[in-house]
Amino acid sequence: MEDQIILTDNGKKVLVFMQDHDSVLVGKDMIELTGIRGIYPVLNSLVRHGLVENAEPVTRDFTNNKGETKPKDYKTYRLTEFGRKFSVNN
């Protein structure tokens, strides 16, 4: 018997969002775009299920609490073929 993938409500929300915006997405940006503050555990779960994969990180300027601006690498994610075809029920 094949394992069934059961997604949390947030997992469903993120996967549908990624299916609607099929591109390489920065995890930090997805927090604002989806409203899910704890996005990284959700993304990690989708990666474990083979629905999403890590893409090349992007470097952006980041200003810390001291007002110093430095380059910082951000994780990026994209759908796998399986993730593109996966049907989110309910």
Side-chain angles (χ1 to χ4, degrees):
M1 185 168 141
E2 189 176 312
D3 287 341
Q4 183 179 7
I5 297 175
I6 300 172
L7 299 176
T8 63
D9 289 341
N10 283 344
K12 292 175 186 178
K13 185 176 180 179
V14 170
L15 185 59
V16 168
F17 177 84
M18 291 185 77
Q19 288 172 335
D20 290 344
H21 302 87
D22 192 1
S23 62
V24 175
L25 298 164
V26 176
K28 185 176 183 331
D29 294 343
M30 290 177 59
I31 293 169
E32 295 173 26
L33 296 170
T34 64
I36 299 171
R37 294 174 77 70
I39 194 97
Y40 292 104
V42 176
L43 289 167
N44 290 337
S45 175
L46 294 173
V47 168
R48 279 193 308 276
H49 288 303
L51 300 166
V52 172
E53 63 187 359
N54 294 313
E56 290 296 316
V58 297
T59 304
R60 295 183 180 168
D61 286 340
F62 172 78
T63 304
N64 64 20
N65 298 2
K66 299 176 186 176
E68 302 167 333
T69 301
K70 298 180 180 181
K72 180 178 177 179
D73 290 338
Y74 290 91
K75 286 186 171 186
T76 61
Y77 301 87
R78 66 177 166 229
L79 287 170
T80 61
E81 281 303 313
F82 180 53
R84 283 184 187 93
K85 296 175 184 174
F86 189 83
S87 175
V88 178
N89 298 320
N90 301 331

